[in-house]
Every structure is written in C-alpha cells, then in structure tokens.
Amino acid sequence: MAVLAIMGEIKAQISPYPPSPAVKFVTWDMTIKTQNGLGSDQWPMTWAEDNNLYAAWGDGWGWDKGEEPKRSIGITRITGSPPNFTGEDLWGAGPGQNFGKPDALVAIDKKLLMFWVNGDSRYDHDSYSAVSIDNGKTWELGKERLFPYAPAGFRVRGIVQYGKAYENAPDDYVYIYFGFNRHPDIYLARVKKESIFKSMDYEWFNYIKADGEASWTPDFTKKATVFHDNNAYLWHLSIVYNPGLKRYLMVKPHFTSEDNRDTILADVSSLGIFDAPNPWGPWTTVYYKDYFLDKLVKFNYIIPAKFLSYDGKSFWLGWSGWPEYDNINFIKGQFELFKEKP
C-alpha cells in the first residue's frame, strides 16, 4: 500500500496557527482515490436523518453526466461510503451557471437547509435560503437577501456539521461561518435551529472570555474575526465536529506566494486543516501544505461527518476544482495522534 506521510510540514510552510496539540501528522493512502460527478463543482455535503449524505453542486449535471443541458445548482443523494458509494441526482435548477450556486447546507431533524448564492459566486453576490422537506427532491428557494444588514458579498461560507441530522450538537444552536471571497478573515455566528433563516436572531462572535467560552453580540457591527489566515481562501469552508478526537476540524484552501489572487481561480491548489476544542477556537494547525497532491486547481475541500471513523483517526477528504477536478474527488486520510499522557 502506497502511503504518503506528511511530517513536520507545518514548520516548513507558513501556517497562521501553532501546531495541533492532538494530531502529530497526517498520512494519505495514495492507492485509494475516487472521482465522480464529472463536470460539476463545489459539493458541500451534510449527513441526513435517513443515513445518506446530501451534496449540493454547481454548474453541471450532478453525479452522472448526461446529455441534457447542465444546471446551475443541484442536489445529489450519496449512499454508502467511499470507495463503494453511489450517487442519485435528485434536483436541479437554472440553466448554465449564472442562476445560483450552493454555499453550504445542513440536515437538521427531517429537513435539509441550504444557503445558496443568487448568481455565480462573484464578490458582490449574497446568501439566500433554500428548504427541502422531502429529502432533497424539491426545494423552496428564498427570493430575498438573508442578511440585508451585511455588506454585499459577505455571505455564508460553511456550517459546523454535528453528525447525522445534527444529533451530536452540544446545544440548540447552529454555528455558521461567514466571510468575503478571497479574504483572510473569517467570522462566526450562532442561531437557534428553528431560526436559521431569521437574520435578526443571529448572534455574532466577538471575543473569547477568560474561561474559554465565547462572547456573543446581536450587533453585527461588533463582530470580531474568529479565524485569520493571510493566505486567505477562495469560496468555501468545511467545518466538522470529530467526536472521536473531541475536536473541531476546519478544512480550507489557501493561496501561495506564486498565485495571482486577481484571476478568476488564481490557480489555488493548497490545503490547510485546523483543529480546535470549540467552534470559536483557539485554532491550531493539523496540516498546511502548498500544492496538495499536485498543482491542479482545488477550490473546495470537505471532510464529511459520515466518513469519520468511530475513533476519529480515519477520514475521507473530498475536493473539487477546475478543470481536471471539475468533479468530486476523495482520498483516504489518517490522523496520527500524540500519545496521551498517563
């Protein structure tokens, strides 16, 4: 079995945070990689009550590329686990690529809830709501900006995933990350599950208190950065709670000094994995590498909660990009932990 071990890379790369106290290094099994959904990108995912993953994609056909015109946004149900999994395309809307794109989705109880951008993910496009009560077959799409008090382009980037149908959530809140395209700063808000599409009910992170808990404010203007990386990101974030490690994992791309951030995709292909004891931190670095696997464009990474092992050490990392990675890809990874103190 060919295994790529990454050791000590956080010292060689310019990571924004110190090394993880929990994860020593990451290995990748190069013999087990998958690729599906040819011609469709983005692919944020959530684990639903029926034990399936639901994935949102943009600008394509979904899991199975057909002869019909591509859709701007769509939903696929993924059954099983890699490498032995299948996808069923359930829904799509809008011709081509300019109707809308998915930003993040979450399964709570028996509903699928999605934030989507009305447009093609440009700087000034904003978050809108979408709800499905029939496991992704039909969707009610919101027609108004969800956060009218926020500046244009400040929108949802990722949602903490707490296992199947949010069953591992520690409280009644949904934790949602926000930001601008290609920006170094990321912000965090929380909202009660039943109020996820009520923007005035959101509370914004503004600092970590002495006891490690977060301070929250309803005043959007008093929000504070929850995560900063001068190397930024492009569009999406993936955040998942790993119950085996009792750590939160954030997965995101970043730019290198060679990337031109002003181009459409900026050739971003790098990977950062960070961990923390809480959704608000403090953050540390698990893995930070320029040009993950190769120099091909990768602009979205994800670790689905369903694809974490019981002990939290094994996982599957997904990614999407362009043009060679205009699809959904997975590779198997392993967290090697520091030994616990006796």
Side-chain angles (χ1 to χ4, degrees), residues 55-307:
W57 44 266
D59 187 15
W61 295 266
W63 196 263
D64 295 312
K65 184 175 181 180
E67 299 298 326
E68 69 278 3
K70 66 180 179 181
R71 299 297 186 96
S72 184
I73 185 173
I75 296 292
T76 295
R77 178 193 294 127
I78 300 174
T79 302
S81 298
N84 301 310
F85 56 172
T86 60
E88 179 185 0
D89 299 319
L90 302 174
W91 172 85
Q97 65 182 29
N98 296 321
F99 172 80
K101 296 289 183 66
D103 276 334
L105 73 164
V106 63
I108 297 178
D109 300 326
K110 295 183 180 298
K111 291 182 179 180
L112 295 177
L113 308 168
M114 178 167 63
F115 293 92
W116 65 291
V117 55
N118 190 341
D120 62 355
S121 297
R122 296 187 185 276
Y123 285 99
D124 56 350
H125 289 161
D126 302 301
S127 294
Y128 288 69
S129 66
V131 180
S132 175
I133 59 174
D134 58 3
N135 289 331
K137 296 177 182 177
T138 61
W139 289 81
E140 180 181 349
L141 302 180
K143 298 180 180 180
E144 302 290 337
R145 288 182 63 196
L146 268 178
F147 303 95
Y149 51 75
F154 184 90
R155 65 177 193 261
V156 173
R157 302 298 172 167
I159 304 172
V160 176
Q161 301 292 319
Y162 281 112
K164 184 169 65 175
Y166 234 61
E167 65 182 9
N168 292 329
D171 50 41
D172 291 330
Y173 288 97
V174 182
Y175 293 86
I176 304 174
Y177 295 80
F178 291 76
F180 295 98
N181 284 358
R182 311 180 189 213
H183 201 276
D185 292 332
I186 296 169
Y187 302 86
L188 173 64
R190 70 177 187 177
V191 66
K192 290 292 184 70
K193 291 186 288 186
E194 64 272 15
S195 299
I196 192 170
F197 293 139
K198 296 179 180 179
S199 63
M200 299 308 296
D201 289 353
Y202 275 62
E203 297 178 326
W204 300 87
F205 168 81
N206 64 351
Y207 64 91
I208 299 178
K209 297 185 288 187
D211 62 1
E213 293 299 310
S215 172
W216 303 93
T217 174
D219 188 343
F220 177 79
T221 66
K222 294 181 179 179
K223 69 186 182 305
T225 301
V226 76
F227 184 99
H228 175 87
D229 181 1
N230 198 51
N231 295 322
Y233 67 105
L234 197 58
W235 291 310
H236 300 276
L237 306 171
S238 170
I239 309 94
V240 60
Y241 179 66
N242 185 330
L245 304 186
K246 295 182 174 59
R247 305 284 288 179
Y248 290 81
L249 301 173
M250 178 187 288
V251 187
K252 75 174 194 68
H254 62 265
F255 294 104
T256 72
S257 60
E258 297 178 357
D259 295 330
N260 181 352
R261 301 191 191 191
D262 294 328
T263 61
I264 294 177
L265 295 176
D267 295 331
V268 60
S269 64
S270 304
L271 171 63
I273 304 176
F274 305 88
D275 67 335
N278 303 294
W280 50 88
W283 295 99
T284 53
T285 304
V286 171
Y287 180 95
Y288 201 79
K289 179 175 174 59
D290 294 347
Y291 308 121
F292 175 64
L293 299 182
D294 52 49
K295 289 191 175 183
L296 302 178
V297 175
K298 310 172 196 70
F299 50 66
N300 184 32
Y301 294 98
I302 183 169
I303 297 178
K306 186 180 179 182
F307 297 163

